[in-house]
């Protein structure tokens, strides 16, 4: 432990790292979307009434579920459809009046949203999920009095959805990334030929996809491994379920990266290091079993290994290259600045540890840094397709450019990012897109303290105010900000970001006192 580090940070960080081994599937928040799918698809599963109660409890005063700015569409569709399914089936133990009220409120808000032009966020499979759920809701509406069908957004159609369902039913090969949202295939997903569970019984690291593949067999075949996996997840969470599980490599990579970059003293079990190394194959590594390998998880895992003085050749990343930048996976529609920032860090930290390898990566590092710089918004921030908060994207890009961007990519780019952070702090000392959050405040503090100019008195005053907020908010739940089919919280990752920032604050104070 360094002389400037308070024992509580070391202890908490050590406990957090230990928890990664004790809960290897990951520590992920429940999801309204995924829980709604299980209410609809698996009423036989342990915790059914608890899942319905969770949907009741999470419905907002306006009848919607989820976050603002279009993020409520998918969870509201899923929760409403799940409640309608329970209502039309007349599920035992349910309160029909409560189901009816919740469904009607959901339908009213959906009708209002779908009557106007929509600007939906860039979420995985949203172009398939929305038509699939509207189709199911309208099927329920046909059998209920005084329920009118809801319209499909003008920008979407059922054509692609029909093609997906036909492909799944035919037994043709299904793209691995589509397995994560297999529930969109509805009845065609049940026992689909050519699709097999992973060794732990999951399909696409998704409870909803696993339930869809099980179909009616789930109720009658308790010995099916996929049934056992769903039971385990439902019991682990007490009914509601997360949108993605397991996320083993993703969680470990991000937690270790946040802590090690900030200089937090941690002891990482050698078996965890070995597990991360063994997960990286020629095509990279997925976030967890059942998902396709992606450049993001691969990069962060490689970066964490390098910080642990166990560098691993990052040649698996070349398969994700797309011109002057990198895709999350080959054929990705869209592009992510945070993914490219993490690739930059993986290459940069590797050659820092292995200077002889520099000629192979230097040109690409320069191209990546310039590409990231060019994606900066006029206000100094960055936005990203894998996180709802610009503070995450801006932290990812700023920290990568600080370490590996070169002079041209750093100035005045990093100064503009810091000015944006200073200008967006809230009166209570926090930062956040919708409200102040500990996670987003942690990212803002890292931008201010880990990039050049970190001794600026304005930054230090802002950091002090941010520290007061963090001190008052520790222990509370982090709101969902990470993109999947629904917004979610990788809880250990968010906690690691807060611990890292708290350590940085303590270090900055100690350095100021020593001057």
């Amino acid at each position: 432990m360094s002389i400037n580090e308070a024992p509580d940070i070391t202890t908490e960080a050590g406990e957090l790292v230990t928890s990664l081994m004790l809960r290897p599937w990951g520590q992920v928040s429940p999801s309204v979307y995924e829980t709604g799918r299980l209410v609809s698809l698996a009423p036989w599963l342990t915790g059914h009434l608890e899942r319905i109660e969770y949907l009741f409890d999470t419905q907002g005063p306006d009848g919607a579920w989820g976050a603002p700015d279009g993020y409520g569409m998918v969870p509201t569709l899923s929760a409403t459809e799940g409640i309608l399914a329970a209502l039309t089936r007349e599920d035992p133990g349910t309160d029909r009046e409560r189901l009816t009220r919740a469904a009607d409120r959901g339908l009213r808000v959906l009708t209002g949203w779908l009557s106007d032009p929509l600007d939906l966020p860039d979420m995985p499979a949203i172009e398939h999920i929305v038509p699939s759920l509207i189709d199911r809701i309208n099927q329920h509406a046909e059998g209920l009095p005084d329920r009118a069908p809801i319209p499909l957004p003008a920008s979407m159609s059922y054509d692609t959805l029909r093609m997906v369902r036909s492909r799944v039913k035919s037994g043709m090969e299904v793209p691995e990334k589509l397995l994560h949202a297999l529930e969109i295939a509805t009845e065609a997903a049940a026992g689909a030929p050519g699709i097999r569970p992973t060794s732990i019984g999951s399909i696409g690291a998704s409870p909803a996809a696993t339930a869809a593949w099980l179909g009616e067999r789930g109720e009658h075949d308790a010995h099916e491994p996929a049934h056992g996996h769903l039971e385990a997840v439902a019991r682990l969470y007490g009914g509601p379920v997360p949108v993605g599980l397991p996320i083993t490599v993703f969680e470990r990579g991000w937690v270790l990266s946040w802590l090690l970059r900030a200089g937090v003293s941690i002891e990482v079990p050698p078996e965890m290091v070995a597990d991360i190394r063994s997960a990286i194959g020629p095509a990279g590594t997925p976030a967890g079993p059942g998902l396709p390998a992606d450049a993001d998880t691969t990069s962060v895992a490689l970066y964490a290994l390098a910080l642990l003085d166990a560098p691993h050749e990052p040649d698996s990343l070349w398969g994700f290259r797309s011109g002057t930048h990198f895709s999350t996976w080959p054929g990705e529609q869209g592009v992510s600045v945070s993914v490219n920032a993490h690739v930059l860090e993986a290459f940069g930290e590797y050659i820092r540890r292995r200077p002889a390898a520099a000629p192979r990566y230097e040109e690409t590092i320069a191209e990546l840094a310039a590409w990231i710089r060019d994606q900066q918004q006029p206000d100094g921030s960055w936005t990203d397709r894998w996180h709802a908060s610009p503070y995450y994207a801006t932290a990812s890009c700023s920290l990568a450019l600080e370490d590996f961007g070169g002079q041209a990519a750093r100035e005045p780019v990093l100064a503009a990012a810091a000015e944006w952070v200073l200008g967006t702090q809230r009166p209570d000392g926090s930062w956040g897109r919708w409200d102040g959050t500990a996670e987003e405040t942690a990212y803002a503090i890292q931008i201010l303290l880990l990039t050049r100019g970190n001794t600026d008195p304005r930054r230090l005053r802002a950091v002090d105010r941010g520290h007061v907020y963090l001190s008052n908010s520790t222990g509370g739940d982090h709101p969902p900000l990470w993109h999947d089919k629904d917004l979610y919280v990788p809880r250990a990752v968010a906690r690691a970001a807060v611990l890292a920032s708290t350590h940085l604050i303590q270090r900055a104070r100690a350095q100021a006192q020593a001057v």
Side-chain angles (χ1 to χ4, degrees):
M1 182 175 65
S2 67
I3 60 173
N4 294 327
E5 185 164 12
D8 60 324
I9 295 298
T10 302
T11 301
E12 287 190 55
E15 291 172 350
L16 181 61
V17 172
T18 299
S19 75
L20 305 184
M21 297 294 289
L22 296 176
R23 298 185 62 179
W25 284 2
Q27 300 165 50
V28 192
S29 63
S31 157
V32 169
Y33 168 80
E34 206 81 0
T35 300
R37 295 304 77 232
L38 258 62
V39 168
S40 180
L41 298 169
W44 43 266
L45 183 66
T46 295
H48 179 61
L49 295 181
E50 289 80 0
R51 282 185 286 280
I52 292 176
E53 193 66 30
Y54 173 78
L55 296 183
F56 288 152
D57 290 344
T58 52
Q59 188 173 27
D62 62 349
W65 285 264
D69 298 339
Y71 283 99
M73 176 61 74
V74 164
T76 301
L77 283 169
S78 181
T80 301
E81 194 281 329
I83 289 169
L84 283 171
L87 183 64
T88 55
R89 286 191 307 249
E90 300 184 350
D91 288 355
T94 59
D95 183 330
R96 186 173 181 83
E97 288 188 7
R98 285 186 80 191
L99 290 170
T100 300
R101 287 196 302 270
D104 285 344
R105 293 172 65 214
L107 286 170
R108 279 197 297 271
V109 75
L110 286 169
T111 300
W113 286 347
L114 293 165
S115 299
D116 298 320
L118 288 172
D119 184 16
L120 296 176
D122 183 11
M123 305 284 279
I126 192 170
E127 71 277 16
H128 304 311
I129 289 172
V130 170
S132 174
L133 291 174
I134 289 176
D135 180 47
R136 291 180 70 90
I137 286 172
N138 289 339
Q139 289 179 37
H140 294 308
E142 290 178 0
L144 294 171
D146 303 321
R147 298 316 198 281
I150 58 176
L152 188 69
S155 60
M156 297 182 179
S157 77
Y158 294 114
D159 295 342
T160 305
L161 186 61
R162 293 190 187 101
M163 291 174 59
V164 168
R165 290 173 175 171
S166 177
R167 185 183 186 104
V168 169
K169 188 174 183 178
S170 72
M172 295 175 65
E173 183 179 358
V174 177
E176 195 171 12
K177 66 179 182 180
L178 185 60
L179 292 180
H180 186 56
L182 184 64
E183 67 273 9
I184 65 172
T186 57
E187 290 77 11
I195 296 176
R196 293 290 179 270
T198 65
S199 60
I200 63 171
S202 65
I203 300 290
S206 162
T210 306
W213 182 80
L214 272 173
E216 294 181 357
R217 289 178 302 139
E219 185 174 6
H220 307 294
D221 188 357
H223 300 291
E224 163 64 51
H227 182 287
H229 175 75
L230 281 181
E231 284 284 341
V233 175
R235 291 179 186 278
L236 179 64
Y237 282 83
V241 294
V243 72
L245 204 75
I247 57 164
T248 309
V249 183
F250 163 77
E251 181 182 75
R252 292 176 177 183
W254 263 259
V255 167
L256 296 178
S257 293
W258 287 129
L259 296 176
L260 293 167
R261 186 210 310 270
V264 180
S265 298
I266 53 174
E267 291 187 15
V268 181
E271 56 267 42
M272 185 185 296
V273 180
D275 285 348
I276 295 172
R277 286 181 65 93
S278 65
I280 302 172
T285 182
L291 295 170
D294 68 85
D296 209 17
T297 308
T298 303
S299 297
V300 177
L302 289 165
Y303 180 64
L305 287 173
L307 293 178
L308 288 164
D309 283 326
H312 187 292
E313 175 74 44
D315 54 354
S316 59
L317 289 173
W318 294 120
F320 301 98
R321 190 169 187 177
S322 179
T324 57
H325 65 277
F326 286 69
S327 299
T328 308
W329 50 70
E332 176 187 22
Q333 295 179 345
V335 65
S336 163
V337 294
S338 70
V339 168
N340 283 274
H342 296 147
V343 173
L344 177 60
E345 289 177 326
F347 285 158
E349 197 62 42
Y350 180 75
I351 66 171
R352 178 182 283 173
R353 312 291 170 139
R354 296 285 187 270
R360 188 177 182 196
Y361 298 102
E362 283 179 329
E363 183 178 352
T364 301
I365 286 173
E367 289 179 345
L368 261 180
W371 184 88
I372 294 168
R373 177 196 64 205
D374 291 344
Q375 309 311 306
Q376 189 176 32
Q377 300 294 313
D379 64 3
S381 68
W382 282 267
T383 58
D384 194 56
R385 67 177 317 209
W386 294 119
H387 202 285
S389 173
Y391 295 97
Y392 172 81
T394 304
S396 298
C397 294
S398 296
L399 302 188
L401 291 177
E402 171 67 31
D403 286 344
F404 307 110
Q407 193 68 20
R410 285 197 294 254
E411 297 180 1
V413 172
L414 296 183
E419 288 298 324
W420 172 75
V421 171
L422 290 172
T424 56
Q425 188 172 27
R426 293 172 177 270
D428 64 356
S430 68
W431 283 268
R433 173 174 176 172
W434 294 305
D435 292 302
T437 72
E439 181 186 351
E440 292 168 282
T441 299
Y443 299 144
I445 288 170
Q446 291 189 40
I447 295 165
L448 296 178
L449 293 181
L450 286 177
T451 60
R452 59 200 55 240
N454 55 11
T455 58
D456 181 341
R458 295 183 305 146
R459 294 199 193 188
L460 298 179
R461 287 194 296 270
V463 165
D464 280 341
R465 294 173 57 216
H467 187 225
V468 172
Y469 174 83
L470 286 182
S471 299
N472 293 331
S473 63
T474 53
D477 288 337
H478 297 280
L481 293 167
W482 294 70
H483 282 195
D484 200 325
K485 294 178 283 185
D486 194 359
L487 290 179
Y488 73 103
V489 188
R491 288 168 168 163
V493 174
R495 183 63 185 146
V498 172
L499 288 175
S501 297
T502 304
H503 166 69
L504 290 171
I505 294 167
Q506 293 172 351
R507 188 173 71 182
R509 286 178 171 174
Q511 290 171 344
Q513 292 170 0
V515 174

